[in-house]
Amino acid sequence: MPTYMMHLLRFSLFLGLIPVLTMGFLSYYIAAGDVEQKVLASNTQLLRRNEQQIDDMLKGLERSTLQLASSPLMKQALQEKWTPAHFQEIREMSSALSNLQTPVMTSEAYFIHLGNGTVTGLDRFQSLDQFKDRDLIMNYASHASSLFMDTSSSEIYTTWVQKIPLFPMRTGPKGLIVVKMPKKHMAERLSKATELGSQYIIDAKGRLILGSIPDSWQKELDSAVNTEVLSSLKNTGMTKQSEAYSFRTQVDGAQYNVIFLHSASYGWTHVSVTSVEAMTKQTQHIAWITAMVSGVVLVVIFVTAYIWSRRMYKPIHRLVEYSRQTDIGPDQNAQPAGLNELHYIEQSIRRLSSSRTELQAQLSTHTEHMSESLMLMLLSNRIQADEFVKRSSRCGFPKSWQALSVMKIQIDTFHLSKYDEHNLELLLYAINNMVAELISPASRFAPVILDHAQVTLLIEPPNSAENAQGNDLFYQTAVQLKDQIESYLQLQISIGLSRSFQDLSAAPEAYMESASALRQRMVPDAGCIIRYTPQRADQSDGRTPYAKLREIEEHILYSLRKREQDQLSLAMELYLNEITENRTFQQELNILLIKLAMRIIETAQTQELELHLGGTLSGEKLLSKLTKLNTKEDIRYWFEQQLFMPIIHAMEQQAEEQQVRIASRMLEMIHSRFDQDITLESCAAELNYHPFYLSRVFKKDVGMPFSEYLTSYRMSQAKLLLENTSLLVSDIGRKLKYANTSAFIRTFRKWAGMTPGQYREQYERSTVRTKAEPELELKREREPKLEPER
């Protein structure tokens, strides 16, 4: 996964995970806390209910015993000394004891007459001395309280004791009412313990009265929970309060919540113990539900984050791909390790910015070359005017003008100057630079060198002060240039000016006019500025119809040789109009057409073309078919398809083959004469072609200009001379026809990246190292190999 997309995904997940996890933990924590609070509240309520039930039970028993203690029967029993003979009184006392109102069933109830030493029960009347619990009864009589409960003397019963009278005098009580209640029956009156914990009752000494205790607490009951409960009661002063309190303790490594409620009426403490682990189990289903909901939300967040991360990453991805396509660095097809996409884009932009100056310099050079190339194509009629305007928008040419004129500067002679013909190219280059500097860019197009002359397309700017005298403006410009060039170069020149025009499509014709103006000058008139003036034609055309027709034929043949299909079509149309509309040629129509066709075929044969005219038809059948054509359109189509197109195709093939032969010949000349003064003009003179044509043919076939290839070949020969000879650098430069050693060194450094001397030193070092390596290896093999010590 891409680095930046991974960062986006992590960031999105981070933003989504925090609230989900936080809400999940808070929800679980709050829910678990609520469960614990509800369990504690439920246990507290249960303790209060048990306390209320125990209080109601004991108060009912207290009322019943008090009622019995204040009854006439009890007064009679205390005043009289009963014997078995008092059967009726004993029976009434037993009935009164059995009718004590207690919420639980009483197991045994006794009336002990301490003065007589008798015990009256539900089913007995006997002497106190013979009673099985005599010692316990005597302890009850000496108890400090008049009304109390004994919970420690028996594990089965809880004994209720009330002295008679309730507030005895100093002499002590006269009797006791003792009621035994089974703890089992009392426990049944309590509310049932929940599954989360246990409820029980302890006395002031921490002894268990009622309830059940977990088996694991039997050994640590006094020293753990109950001791801590009693300590809390004592420290906080809650022995007379009925408020519930809680704390958490640990028994056998387990955590428990303890709630206790002290009953001030009888000194009992109600205790509820709940296992924290049991409460936690109750909250586990909440945890699972919270985890499931959080998991679903996290999955949704992950999917959403992944989808939106991909969408957010798409523009970054497109920028990265575009940066890789346009990156100029060596790592354009690979992203460096440790860099995310934004860092990679930043580095690409920095590399592009750092090369801005170099690109601008190269662009300026290319713009200059393109400007000159466009001007050469325009003046040579190899580009349409609208296409020229479209392509020249990047060259900074003027877009509007009042008038245009072509100016051609030509050197007259070298006879009276300090130059010779070998300096022609340098002089034309100097003149071209002077024209570019002396004429502002707003008043000219790019100056070029064409046909051994300097040519400039001059501009009369719009809204110029010389609008009415455009020719005078162009003439004044030519005069100033002539004076500056002759003064600076000490060279005699002539300047030809074409007529003024406005449409760029007339530039080739204007160039021809400027050339014609120069051709009109005579030797005595050298060093002048000549304007083109067309020759005046006579008012009447004295040519015969055949002379005019002959002129059109020549135009057709000329256009065919030049392979100008548009001009050829126009000339053919003019020829057909002439022979079909002129009555003079009505009888000779077929003869004229055959004659024209024969002249065309003869012209093709003179150029040694391999023609396949008419397909499988012979020449007689081909011409016979021509005589059977009836319409002008059919005749024109026949000439185009049967003659013009095959001939033009054959001429193009011949031109291509000729170009290959010319390029091969020029390569042979370079390879054999690289150490001579060979130039494009010398090759053109030897091969009988125009230098411009040879330059275009050579570049098309070889892939580089003539001068560049010549320099490259000479540098390769210089490299061989530096490697295989001990010639001085200056001698090698003179051998390769360089004017001075500095020019040779500068050219070699540009071609090889180092000077000739540096190249020779590098080659010699590599040669010595190559020769020394085999000798060193052989020496190592001959050395004895030592056995390693053991």
Side-chain angles (χ1 to χ4, degrees):
M1 184 179 292
T3 306
Y4 188 72
M5 182 177 174
M6 179 62 72
H7 291 339
L8 288 177
L9 184 59
R10 289 175 179 173
F11 182 71
S12 302
L13 291 176
F14 179 75
L15 292 181
L17 287 175
I18 289 180
V20 172
L21 295 178
T22 303
M23 292 179 63
F25 282 119
L26 289 178
S27 299
Y28 172 73
Y29 179 78
I30 293 173
D34 289 343
V35 170
E36 184 176 354
Q37 293 297 327
K38 288 180 180 179
V39 170
L40 294 178
S42 177
N43 291 341
T44 302
Q45 186 178 3
L46 185 61
L47 288 180
R48 292 188 182 279
R49 190 184 305 116
N50 291 339
E51 180 196 17
Q52 186 65 35
Q53 290 178 356
I54 294 296
D55 285 350
D56 292 343
M57 180 181 64
L58 296 179
K59 287 180 180 179
L61 180 61
E62 182 181 359
R63 285 193 297 270
S64 297
T65 55
L66 287 175
Q67 185 177 1
L68 178 60
S70 59
S71 63
L73 180 59
M74 185 60 66
K75 293 180 180 180
Q76 181 183 357
L78 292 175
Q79 293 175 0
E80 298 178 358
K81 185 176 182 181
W82 286 354
T83 63
H86 293 80
F87 174 79
Q88 183 66 29
E89 288 81 359
I90 293 173
R91 185 176 181 181
E92 290 179 1
M93 180 62 70
S94 297
S95 177
L97 290 173
S98 63
N99 290 332
L100 290 175
Q101 297 180 359
T102 59
V104 296
M105 183 182 298
T106 59
S107 175
E108 296 181 11
Y110 306 101
F111 167 66
I112 294 93
H113 195 303
L114 297 175
N116 294 334
T118 59
V119 178
T120 304
L122 299 177
D123 56 354
R124 69 181 65 185
F125 179 78
Q126 65 184 84
S127 173
L128 178 62
D129 295 332
Q130 298 176 354
F131 189 56
K132 60 179 181 179
D133 294 329
R134 179 184 179 283
D135 295 337
L136 183 61
I137 294 300
M138 296 309 293
N139 289 333
Y140 290 161
S142 61
H143 196 277
S145 300
S146 300
L147 183 64
F148 62 91
M149 293 185 67
D150 180 16
T151 59
S152 60
S153 60
S154 175
E155 296 181 357
I156 301 175
Y157 303 103
T158 297
T159 305
W160 176 269
V161 179
Q162 179 174 338
K163 295 180 180 180
I164 303 174
L166 187 59
F167 302 103
M169 304 302 290
R170 294 181 179 179
T171 58
K174 296 180 178 181
L176 297 175
I177 297 178
V178 179
V179 181
K180 291 185 176 182
M181 296 174 291
K183 293 182 178 180
K184 178 180 179 181
H185 294 167
M186 293 180 67
E188 290 177 354
R189 301 290 298 176
L190 300 177
S191 298
K192 299 297 182 180
T194 63
E195 60 181 2
L196 296 180
S198 301
Q199 286 78 28
Y200 60 92
I201 302 174
I202 60 175
D203 59 11
K205 296 182 179 181
R207 293 180 297 229
L208 180 64
I209 300 176
L210 295 174
S212 60
I213 298 178
D215 295 338
S216 60
W217 292 12
Q218 292 296 330
K219 296 181 180 180
E220 299 188 13
L221 179 64
D222 293 336
S223 60
V225 178
N226 295 344
T227 302
E228 192 169 353
V229 169
L230 296 177
S231 177
S232 298
L233 290 173
K234 182 178 180 180
N235 294 335
T236 56
M238 295 185 295
T239 55
K240 296 182 179 181
Q241 298 179 5
S242 59
E243 186 176 356
Y245 290 88
S246 64
F247 62 88
R248 179 169 290 190
T249 187
Q250 184 173 354
V251 178
D252 291 338
Q255 294 288 332
Y256 293 89
N257 273 334
V258 179
I259 304 174
F260 60 92
L261 178 65
H262 182 70
S263 177
S265 300
Y266 303 100
W268 292 356
T269 303
H270 298 260
V271 182
S272 174
V273 181
T274 305
S275 173
V276 176
E277 181 180 0
M279 288 191 297
T280 304
K281 290 182 179 179
Q282 293 294 323
T283 59
Q284 284 183 354
H285 69 283
I286 299 176
W288 281 109
I289 293 175
T290 304
M292 291 175 61
V293 173
S294 300
V296 172
V297 174
L298 288 178
V299 171
V300 173
I301 289 175
F302 179 80
V303 174
T304 305
Y306 180 77
I307 294 174
W308 283 103
S309 297
R310 285 180 60 87
R311 291 187 179 181
M312 294 174 65
Y313 179 72
K314 283 183 179 179
I316 304 298
H317 177 69
R318 289 195 293 267
L319 284 176
V320 171
E321 292 299 324
Y322 181 76
S323 298
R324 288 175 178 170
Q325 294 174 3
T326 59
D327 197 357
I328 61 173
D331 54 349
Q332 56 184 356
N333 294 324
Q335 179 177 335
L339 292 180
N340 60 32
E341 287 77 354
L342 291 180
H343 292 165
Y344 178 75
I345 294 172
E346 178 186 1
Q347 290 188 357
S348 299
I349 295 175
R350 288 182 181 276
R351 284 193 291 270
L352 290 174
S353 178
S354 63
S355 62
R356 180 178 180 181
T357 304
E358 181 180 356
L359 290 176
Q360 287 180 344
Q362 294 179 359
L363 181 61
S364 177
T365 304
H366 290 318
T367 302
E368 182 179 353
H369 292 327
M370 185 173 65
S371 302
E372 295 178 357
S373 177
L374 282 176
M375 288 305 305
L376 290 173
M377 294 173 66
L378 177 65
L379 297 175
S380 302
N381 199 19
R382 290 184 289 115
I383 188 173
Q384 299 295 328
D386 54 350
E387 180 67 18
F388 175 83
V389 173
K390 184 187 302 183
R391 296 171 61 178
S392 64
S393 60
R394 288 174 283 179
C395 301
F397 288 162
K399 297 181 180 180
S400 60
W401 49 79
Q402 184 69 23
L404 300 171
S405 179
V406 176
M407 178 183 67
K408 185 173 183 180
I409 301 175
Q410 198 169 49
I411 299 174
D412 290 330
T413 179
F414 295 99
H415 178 64
L416 301 177
S417 66
K418 57 182 178 181
Y419 309 105
D420 53 25
E421 294 181 357
H422 297 290
N423 304 124
L424 177 61
E425 289 188 3
L426 293 176
L427 291 173
L428 290 176
Y429 182 75
I431 293 173
N432 197 67
N433 289 339
M434 292 184 68
V435 171
E437 293 178 0
L438 294 175
I439 303 177
S440 66
S443 300
R444 60 167 174 80
F445 283 83
V448 295
I449 298 175
L450 181 61
D451 293 337
H452 301 288
Q454 195 282 324
V455 182
T456 308
L457 181 57
L458 300 177
I459 297 175
E460 180 183 353
N463 302 324
S464 174
E466 300 289 341
N467 283 342
Q469 300 175 347
N471 288 334
D472 293 337
L473 178 63
F474 297 142
Y475 188 82
Q476 293 175 5
T477 302
V479 170
Q480 294 175 1
L481 281 175
K482 185 176 182 301
D483 294 340
Q484 292 290 336
I485 293 172
E486 290 182 349
S487 173
Y488 186 78
L489 297 178
Q490 300 297 317
L491 189 67
Q492 192 175 49
I493 62 171
S494 293
I495 300 177
L497 288 173
S498 70
R499 291 180 295 176
S500 299
F501 61 96
Q502 293 183 342
D503 193 354
L504 282 174
S505 60
E509 183 180 355
Y511 170 71
M512 299 302 296
E513 291 178 358
S514 63
S516 298
L518 287 174
R519 285 195 297 269
Q520 292 175 8
R521 79 183 191 278
M522 302 300 292
V523 176
D525 297 326
C528 59
I529 300 175
I530 307 172
R531 293 179 178 175
Y532 174 78
T533 54
Q535 296 180 357
R536 295 183 179 180
D538 296 336
Q539 296 296 329
S540 61
D541 190 358
R543 296 179 297 171
T544 63
Y546 288 99
K548 185 175 182 181
L549 197 62
R550 180 75 176 182
E551 183 179 350
I552 298 176
E553 289 179 0
E554 294 295 336
H555 192 188
I556 292 174
L557 297 176
Y558 176 80
S559 300
L560 182 62
R561 286 193 293 270
K562 294 295 184 181
R563 289 174 291 175
E564 298 176 352
Q565 297 186 23
D566 295 338
Q567 297 296 326
L568 185 59
S569 298
L570 293 175
M572 190 63 197
E573 185 71 21
L574 182 62
Y575 183 85
L576 291 178
N577 291 337
E578 186 68 20
I579 63 175
T580 54
E581 295 175 2
N582 195 332
R583 294 183 178 181
T584 306
F585 306 122
Q586 292 295 326
Q587 301 299 325
E588 303 176 359
L589 182 60
N590 290 336
I591 297 175
L592 292 174
L593 292 176
I594 293 174
K595 181 182 178 182
L596 176 61
M598 294 301 294
R599 290 198 63 186
I600 293 173
I601 294 173
E602 181 182 358
T603 301
Q605 291 176 347
T606 57
Q607 297 188 8
E608 299 179 355
L609 299 176
E610 294 183 3
L611 299 178
H612 301 281
L613 303 178
T616 59
L617 298 178
S618 62
E620 293 181 358
K621 291 182 179 181
L622 183 64
L623 296 177
S624 176
K625 187 176 181 180
L626 174 61
T627 59
K628 295 178 181 179
L629 299 176
N630 296 321
T631 63
K632 182 172 65 174
E633 185 64 25
D634 291 340
I635 295 172
R636 185 185 61 79
Y637 183 78
W638 185 90
F639 271 93
E640 288 182 355
Q641 298 298 322
Q642 301 298 333
L643 294 180
F644 294 157
M645 297 303 294
I647 292 174
I648 291 175
H649 181 67
M651 293 173 68
E652 289 177 350
Q653 289 184 343
Q654 185 187 57
E656 292 179 358
E657 295 174 356
Q658 183 181 10
Q659 289 178 2
V660 173
R661 291 195 300 270
I662 291 174
S664 300
R665 178 58 180 157
M666 293 177 70
L667 289 174
E668 292 177 0
M669 296 172 68
I670 290 174
H671 295 167
S672 60
R673 306 178 190 176
F674 69 91
D675 55 351
Q676 301 177 16
D677 291 330
I678 181 172
T679 62
L680 184 63
E681 284 72 17
S682 63
C683 294
E686 183 172 343
L687 298 176
N688 294 322
Y689 288 104
H690 195 280
F692 181 79
Y693 174 74
L694 289 185
S695 175
R696 180 165 53 86
V697 169
F698 187 87
K699 185 175 182 180
K700 179 180 179 182
D701 191 70
V702 178
M704 63 176 66
F706 176 86
S707 59
E708 185 176 346
Y709 183 84
L710 176 60
T711 301
S712 177
Y713 189 78
R714 282 177 171 173
M715 292 300 102
S716 63
Q717 295 301 317
K719 180 180 176 181
L720 294 176
L721 292 173
L722 289 169
E723 293 176 356
N724 302 319
T725 68
S726 59
L727 292 175
L728 297 177
V729 174
S730 58
D731 295 338
I732 295 175
R734 284 193 297 271
K735 182 177 179 61
L736 296 179
K737 297 303 178 182
Y738 277 90
N740 52 67
T741 305
S742 299
F744 169 67
I745 294 175
R746 183 169 56 254
T747 305
F748 188 88
R749 178 185 294 171
K750 181 178 180 181
W751 180 78
M754 62 183 72
T755 63
Q758 292 173 345
Y759 180 83
R760 174 173 281 174
E761 291 178 359
Q762 180 180 352
Y763 177 78
E764 289 176 353
R765 286 197 301 269
S766 62
T767 303
V768 171
R769 184 167 57 252
T770 304
K771 291 180 178 180
E773 287 179 355
E775 296 178 358
L776 182 60
E777 185 67 23
L778 182 61
K779 183 178 179 181
R780 290 177 179 175
E781 293 178 355
R782 292 177 178 177
E783 290 179 355
K785 297 182 179 179
L786 299 177
E787 294 292 334
E789 296 182 359
R790 296 183 179 178

